[in-house]
Amino acid sequence: MKRLSILAILSLVSFSMFAAEEAQNTFLPGLKSGQELFIITLLGIMTLICAVIIVVTLNLNSQIRNIFKPKTESSEFEQAMQNRTFWQKFWSLKPIQFEKDQIMEHQYDGIAELDNPTPPWFMYLFYITIIVGIFYLIGYHVIGNGKIMNNEYTEEVTIAEKAREEYMKKFANSVNEDNVKVLTDAKGVEDGKKIYTQNCVACHGANGEGVVGPNLTDEYWLHGGSPKAIFHTINEGVPEKGMISWKKTLNPIQVQQVLSYIVSIQGTKPANAKAPQGDKVEAAVSMK
């Protein structure tokens, strides 16, 4: 009964921990309240069943031992067991005067080994790992909503997207055609290059030499070469010539970064550069 009580307490503690985690919506996100209650109840029942199985197994093990190794303890042994020290009880040790009955058959260099049982605290810890393992298996691999790598990544991406939206509301939209400036810091230009590489290479070439679209490295511009004009062209596009509007794809800061990169490659004279198109605009090379 002592073991049964301890296991029952452990089961209730594990079940309470799981319920608390569920209350925080971190273990079973996305489920309705009725589904959550059903799953929690099911797991609680499974925990109690596991506890009962463990208790029954221990009792059967004890009975089998009694069958093959009947008890021969005398009243003296029982008295000594009751008078054991705290540490002897904690480690489940028999009184020292009865150790001769626990000596195992094999000996090495006169050193004998005692057949002491596994300490109860260790066995209870082992039972706890079994219970926790069951919850882990169900939560992470059966239901699949545990915080495994994919779920953690998705959660972090969601948080990052929210942070980005907040950032855009505060800062990004403050950049427009009237106040846009060419960035001169290395990070801003490098970020612009990455955006250019992802979105603009097909029409303007890897080095801005021009393919379908015009050459971006010379002083000739079809729609103006000032930062304001370039910002407007990228943002609004030129539909009649096949250039789409990027304002729905790129935020104002990203447009500013792209135009800064375009200005940075002015005069680089890449190989296979397309012939000049439009009007010469010296202001395009200005970094102001």
Side-chain angles (χ1 to χ4, degrees):
M1 292 300 295
K2 180 179 178 181
R3 287 177 175 174
L4 179 60
S5 300
I6 293 175
L7 287 172
I9 292 173
L10 292 177
S11 300
L12 292 175
V13 169
S14 300
F15 178 72
S16 299
M17 291 175 62
F18 175 77
E21 190 173 8
E22 164 62 22
Q24 296 175 359
N25 295 321
T26 57
F27 194 81
L28 295 173
L31 295 179
K32 298 180 180 179
S33 58
Q35 294 174 321
E36 294 172 355
L37 179 61
F38 172 76
I39 292 175
I40 293 175
T41 304
L42 179 62
L43 292 176
I45 294 173
M46 291 180 64
T47 302
L48 293 177
I49 292 174
C50 290
V52 172
I53 292 174
I54 292 173
V55 173
V56 172
T57 302
L58 291 174
N59 288 334
L60 288 176
N61 183 48
S62 177
Q63 292 178 10
I64 293 173
R65 285 186 176 182
N66 291 335
I67 293 174
F68 291 98
K69 188 178 179 181
K71 291 183 179 180
T72 58
E73 293 86 349
S74 61
S75 57
E76 180 183 356
F77 173 79
E78 295 176 355
Q79 185 65 30
M81 289 291 288
Q82 293 178 359
N83 295 331
R84 287 181 301 171
T85 65
F86 169 79
W87 288 110
Q88 285 177 323
K89 293 179 180 179
F90 182 79
W91 293 98
S92 190
L93 299 176
K94 291 183 180 180
I96 193 169
Q97 62 267 33
F98 294 97
E99 284 188 347
K100 62 181 182 297
D101 299 331
Q102 296 177 267
I103 296 177
M104 302 182 72
E105 295 181 359
H106 59 269
Q107 295 187 13
Y108 301 96
D109 296 331
I111 300 175
E113 181 182 0
L114 298 181
D115 186 18
N116 283 317
T118 305
W121 66 267
F122 186 88
M123 294 306 299
Y124 295 139
L125 182 62
F126 175 65
Y127 302 148
I128 291 175
T129 61
I130 294 176
I131 295 172
V132 172
I134 292 173
F135 283 118
Y136 183 91
L137 174 66
I138 295 174
Y140 282 75
H141 298 287
V142 177
I143 299 175
N145 287 329
K147 283 197 172 182
I148 56 179
M149 258 192 250
N150 289 339
N151 293 343
E152 285 184 351
Y153 173 77
T154 303
E155 182 178 342
E156 289 176 3
V157 168
T158 302
I159 294 173
E161 287 296 330
K162 290 182 179 178
R164 178 180 176 277
E165 290 176 4
E166 291 298 323
Y167 173 80
M168 289 300 302
K169 289 178 181 178
K170 291 182 179 179
F171 301 104
N173 293 326
S174 63
V175 178
N176 53 56
E177 291 182 23
D178 296 326
N179 61 16
V180 64
K181 294 180 180 180
V182 176
L183 302 175
T184 58
D185 62 287
K187 186 179 185 305
V189 175
E190 182 62 28
D191 288 343
K193 181 179 180 180
K194 292 178 181 178
I195 298 171
Y196 176 91
T197 302
Q198 292 173 355
N199 301 285
C200 310
V201 168
C203 293
H204 295 284
N207 300 307
E209 69 273 16
V211 183
V212 178
N215 180 359
L216 300 177
T217 64
D218 58 25
E219 298 176 346
Y220 292 84
W221 297 84
L222 292 170
H223 307 286
S226 67
K228 177 178 179 180
I230 299 173
F231 185 96
H232 177 83
T233 302
I234 297 172
N235 216 32
E236 301 299 331
V238 187
E240 63 272 14
K241 293 187 178 180
M243 179 174 176
I244 66 171
S245 169
W246 290 96
K247 63 183 178 182
K248 293 183 179 180
T249 305
L250 305 177
N251 62 62
I253 286 182
Q254 290 174 316
V255 174
Q256 183 184 40
Q257 291 169 339
V258 174
L259 79 84
S260 299
Y261 170 69
I262 293 173
V263 171
S264 74
I265 61 176
Q266 289 287 286
T268 54
K269 298 180 180 179
N272 302 318
K274 195 172 181 180
Q277 294 175 275
D279 301 322
K280 185 176 181 179
V281 182
E282 295 183 358
V285 299
S286 173
M287 301 299 287
K288 296 180 180 180

